[in-house]
């Protein structure tokens, strides 16, 4: 339906007309979808080519908060473009004041007054920081993960953000890659469920509410398979792995209604993802029916030039729009090049219309046209940022994210009275590193330290000694993207640490990575505990063997020596604002850990990529000869497998039952297993179900996670856990290049981790 408009000076009126023309509230979502489509079409009809291209342009923040004066030449240009209606979105602008000022220009000074959509990297919290995503994944607690994303959305939206560039749903098998901290680990089944939980948390039930925000599934695709774990590197991946491992979390995200997808920096089959027609149009917008919009990654349109895929800027622009990239994040190419390309007939206007419609649709869904200032309320911002309830929630999330890797002689939990505890390690008194690297909206130095958390147990004697820095010459606050200088030689603190350890009943050593040692651009070729910390650990061990090693890190580390020698090891990742409280409560047994590793821990870098769901190969053994698939100098198995994690209590699995050994395409098999708490603490366990497809038209993994249940058991209690297997659980991307299951024999395993041994089998028949 086309409406005739006179362009009036206060252009918002035009939008009001469009909105009121179709104003009609209905619970019927397909009806309201139709209404949004009509609103989008009407708006599109009155937009000039410039205005359309403007919607496809996203700028990084440039606003000078002290006034509207631009900071430099580039900023001036951007500012002018904003006034001219040539900006559809901004990122890295934060807070109600700053965003209101920008939104005012977009709404009140441009011809059509189309509001901006404001995107930010709200990855694991806004101001109140939850654990890094990899840590949250270790909880296997989908409700808590959803809640964590919800809290992030509440804070971000209260501060003017209505779109996050999260969740990162990239599967990765390579601990060298710095961004494993941002994902859910190595498994597509767990990764898909976590992606869905996060999207639910961010987007809620109703995107137009002022406390929900649009989510982004990123990075399409296979970014987590960067060769040798080096960020931004080439990806060379088989179709089999792409479909069966990489795509499932994206497909799950789209089915969950994620509003945007970000493409990736890497190439795929020689074609950069940003210029990849097959990925973005054939699959995403075609087969997968994605109705949101695609945002490029930062500068990735322009990067097709150094990739050697685009001749020049014009060419890069043309490739990107044709391939389906709808919004240009900071390449500044759409805004500068697209118009000419359309006029020359090189880019069809229908591509622009499609991209703009997709972007406008999400703006409508966010309610920005009903009220562009919907997310801009200073009172709400003041009330909700760092709200005590949010800190309570991230504390819960943090405790659930901790994984107990080793606990010999029940060194943990610590006794609460009459103990002398030596706490050692720079990270124990670090209030910045636990926030991780990916929290651009939070305030530096705001995490509760382990030292402060442990002080809350006053009936023990606590001595703290740094021992050694992780980073040399930190010089105050470590800024985002600041260069990391590892302490490779300063051992001046060793002696004081030795003295403290000598008389202690227990030594708690907090060692690992600085918060800025993982994340984007922060790949590592060595994944040892960095600097002189390993040496410090070995020195203290000579003096006192009662060591609890608490690891803080954004990726699996190589901890072979510690695993052999140190009696208790706790994987505490980077747990966010409430780090110290979470760790202390776990160390003292006020919370019994139940986390399970979402990524295998290698024994050495040489084993990488290492993952539980590998193929069998033609030579899996016999192991008493040389000619089988193995290393001569290392075991094949990881140090700690996927799904692994201990508790202060123990669990016994027994009585595996199934109600049928045959499955057809309509039936299901009911499986049950008894699990008993056989230890001395109430505790939680993640009961895991793995399935192995013995033989298929393409080779299949040795096992795949297909179900899990998080159960809590009192001391001595037994529960019966049930799983149901049906045909859809057995589907994979087959030789026929479709998702299907194939009749035949399957084994299944139930247990405490990916080495689960309780086993039975069934046959799938047509
Ligand atoms: C580059 C990263 O790859 C992407 O994940 C992020 O959202 C953008 N920068 C924006 O900061």
């Amino acid at each position: 339906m086309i409406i005739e408009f006179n362009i009036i000076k206060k252009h918002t009126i035009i939008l009001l007309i469009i909105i009121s023309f179709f104003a009609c509230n209905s619970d019927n979502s397909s009806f309201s979808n139709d209404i949004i489509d009509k609103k989008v079409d009407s708006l599109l009809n009155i937009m000039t080519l410039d205005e359309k291209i403007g919607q496809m342009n996203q700028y990084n923040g440039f606003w000078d908060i002290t006034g509207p004066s631009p900071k430099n030449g580039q900023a001036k240009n951007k500012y002018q473009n904003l006034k001219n209606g040539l900006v559809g979105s901004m990122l890295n602008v934060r807070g109600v004041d700053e965003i209101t000022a920008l939104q005012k220009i977009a709404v009140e000074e441009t011809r059509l007054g189309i509001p901006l959509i404001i995107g930010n990297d709200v990855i694991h919290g806004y101001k109140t920081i939850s654990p890094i995503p990899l840590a949250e994944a270790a909880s296997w607690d989908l409700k808590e993960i959803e809640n964590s994303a919800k809290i992030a959305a509440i804070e971000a939206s209260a501060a003017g953000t209505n779109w996050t560039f999260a969740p990162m749903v990239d599967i990765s098998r390579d601990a060298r890659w710095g961004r494993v901290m941002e994902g859910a680990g190595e498994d597509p089944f767990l990764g898909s469920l976590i992606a869905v939980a996060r999207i639910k948390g961010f987007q809620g039930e109703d995107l137009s509410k002022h406390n929900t925000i649009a989510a982004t599934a990123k990075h399409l695709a296979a970014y987590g398979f960067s060769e040798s774990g080096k960020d931004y590197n080439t990806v060379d991946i088989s179709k089999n792995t792409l479909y069966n491992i990489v795509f499932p979390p994206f497909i799950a995200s789209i089915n969950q209604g994620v509003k945007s997808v970000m493409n990736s920096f890497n190439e795929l089959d020689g074609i950069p993802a940003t210029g990849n027609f097959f990925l973005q149009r054939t699959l995403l917008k075609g087969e997968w029916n994605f109705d949101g919009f695609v945002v490029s990654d930062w500068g990735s349109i322009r990067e097709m030039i150094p990739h050697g895929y685009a001749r020049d800027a014009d060419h890069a622009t043309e490739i990107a729009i044709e391939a389906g990239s709808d919004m240009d994040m900071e390449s500044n190419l759409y805004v500068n090049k697209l118009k000419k390309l359309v006029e020359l007939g090189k880019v069809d206007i229908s591509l622009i219309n499609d991209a703009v419609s997709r972007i406008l649709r999400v703006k409508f869904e966010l309610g920005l046209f009903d009220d562009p200032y919907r997310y801009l309320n200073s009172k709400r911002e003041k009330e909700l940022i760092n709200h005590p309830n949010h800190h309570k929630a991230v504390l819960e999330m943090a405790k659930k994210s901790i994984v107990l890797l080793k606990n010999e002689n029940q060194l943990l939990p610590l006794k609460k009275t009459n103990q002398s505890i030596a706490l050692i390690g720079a990270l124990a008194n670090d209030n910045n590193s636990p926030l991780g690297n990916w929290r651009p909206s939070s305030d530096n130095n705001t995490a509760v330290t382990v030292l402060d958390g442990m002080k809350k147990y006053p009936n023990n004697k606590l001595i703290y000694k740094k021992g050694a820095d992780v980073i040399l010459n930190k010089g105050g606050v470590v800024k985002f993207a600041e260069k990391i200088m590892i302490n490779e030689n300063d051992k001046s603190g060793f002696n004081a640490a030795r003295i403290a350890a000598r008389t202690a009943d227990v030594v708690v050593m907090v060692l690992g990575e600085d918060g800025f040692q993982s994340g984007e651009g922060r790949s590592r070729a060595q994944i040892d505990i960095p600097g002189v910390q390993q040496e410090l650990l070995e020195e203290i061990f000579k003096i006192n063997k009662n060591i609890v090693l608490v690891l803080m890190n954004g990726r699996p580390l190589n901890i072979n020596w510690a695993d052999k020698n140190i009696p208790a090891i706790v994987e505490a990742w980077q747990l966010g604002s409430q780090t110290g409280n979470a760790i202390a409560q776990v160390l003292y047994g006020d919370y019994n850990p139940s986390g399970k590793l979402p990524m295998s821990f290698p024994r050495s870098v040489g084993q990488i990529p290492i993952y539980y769901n590998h193929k069998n190969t033609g030579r899996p053994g016999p192991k008493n000869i040389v000619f089988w698939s193995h290393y001569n100098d290392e075991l094949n198995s990881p140090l700690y497998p996927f799904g692994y994690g201990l508790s202060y209590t123990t669990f016994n699995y027994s009585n595996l039952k199934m109600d049928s050994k045959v499955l057809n395409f309509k039936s299901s098999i009911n499986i049950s297993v008894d699990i008993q708490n056989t230890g001395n603490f109430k505790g939680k366990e993640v009961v895991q179900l793995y399935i192995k497809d013995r033989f298929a038209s393409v080779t299949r993994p040795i096992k795949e996670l297909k179900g899990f249940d998080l159960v809590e058991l009192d001391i001595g209690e037994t529960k019966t856990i049930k799983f149901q297997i049906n045909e859809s659980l057995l589907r994979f991307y087959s030789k026929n290049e479709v998702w299907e299951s194939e009749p035949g024999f399957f084994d299944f395993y139930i247990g405490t981790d990916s080495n689960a041994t309780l086993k039975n089998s069934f046959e799938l028949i047509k």
Side-chain angles (χ1 to χ4, degrees), residues 91 121 165 179 218-219 262 265 297-298 329 438 520:
L91 79 153
D121 289 286
F165 309 127
R179 293 192 85 165
K218 70 187 189 185
H219 307 82
M262 187 183 288
F265 289 124
D297 203 345
W298 184 292
M329 180 192 283
W438 235 156
E520 187 182 344

